[in-house]
Amino acid sequence: MGSIDQDFARLAGRLDYSMLIVTAAHGNDRDGCLIGFATQVSIRPARFLVCLSVKNRTYRLAAQAATLVVHPVPEDAEGLAVLFGAETGDEVDKFARCRWETGPDETPVLSDVDSWFAGRVLGHVGFGDHVGFVLEPTIVELSNDHDTLTFRRAPAIEPGHEP
């Protein structure tokens, strides 16, 4: 047995979370990042929680945004996962490297991801090195069923910023 932190990290490492790309916009700025901490938190009314690292640029934009767009990453879209997980918007315009359209509240919607939803930001809650954004879905685009990329099936991706 190790310490509580070590044992918990090992146990949590066995869980398999869906990988999502969250995009945000504020003014003329836009960004997005790959996340693994997210979950539905209410059925009626529908609510979803996405958690963003306080160290990345997407968090700084999301903190000022009215809407976030959440894209489940299809299993065959590893390139998008790497782009939004391994690059930082502080150094790279990720949207110059992928196809996208302007969505609700000027928030980018990734063209190569068929299913996504836009959520109105209802509030945020600090969770240490991440902040949770509670979203109320306002638009949902749902494609045919496809498997999503999960944490355990994703390629090893070094974060674009310090963890």
Side-chain angles (χ1 to χ4, degrees):
M1 298 265 309
S3 72
I4 294 291
D5 287 345
Q6 291 170 331
D7 288 346
F8 180 75
R10 288 181 52 217
L11 182 134
R14 295 177 183 170
L15 304 175
D16 203 8
Y17 303 101
S18 290
M19 302 303 292
L20 307 167
I21 295 172
V22 174
T23 56
H26 180 71
N28 293 326
D29 291 330
R30 63 182 179 267
D31 208 347
C33 64
L34 182 70
I35 69 163
F37 300 148
T39 190
Q40 182 176 349
V41 293
S42 177
I43 297 169
R44 288 187 191 91
R47 299 290 186 262
F48 197 82
L49 178 74
V50 297
C51 298
L52 304 176
S53 169
V54 299
K55 294 185 178 182
N56 74 40
R57 184 170 183 271
T58 304
Y59 160 74
R60 295 190 300 271
L61 288 177
Q64 303 174 72
T67 298
L68 301 179
V69 175
V70 180
H71 308 79
V73 180
E75 196 169 37
D76 62 356
E78 287 184 6
L80 278 177
V82 171
L83 174 63
F84 283 89
E87 300 293 341
T88 174
D90 292 316
E91 299 171 5
V92 171
D93 179 1
K94 299 172 199 176
F95 297 99
R97 299 180 181 190
C98 67
R99 295 178 338 112
W100 63 282
E101 300 171 9
T102 301
D105 290 330
E106 305 299 314
T107 308
V109 174
L110 302 176
S111 301
D112 293 325
V113 178
D114 294 336
S115 295
W116 57 272
F117 75 91
R120 183 170 64 93
V121 177
L122 298 179
H124 347 95
V125 179
F127 294 119
D129 60 0
H130 283 68
V131 169
F133 291 78
V134 179
L135 305 178
E136 173 186 39
T138 57
I139 298 174
V140 177
E141 288 291 328
L142 186 61
S143 73
N144 295 328
D145 288 339
H146 61 275
D147 288 334
T148 58
L149 188 65
T150 62
F151 180 77
R152 295 181 87 183
R153 290 187 292 198
I157 300 171
E158 290 294 321
H161 60 82
E162 291 295 317

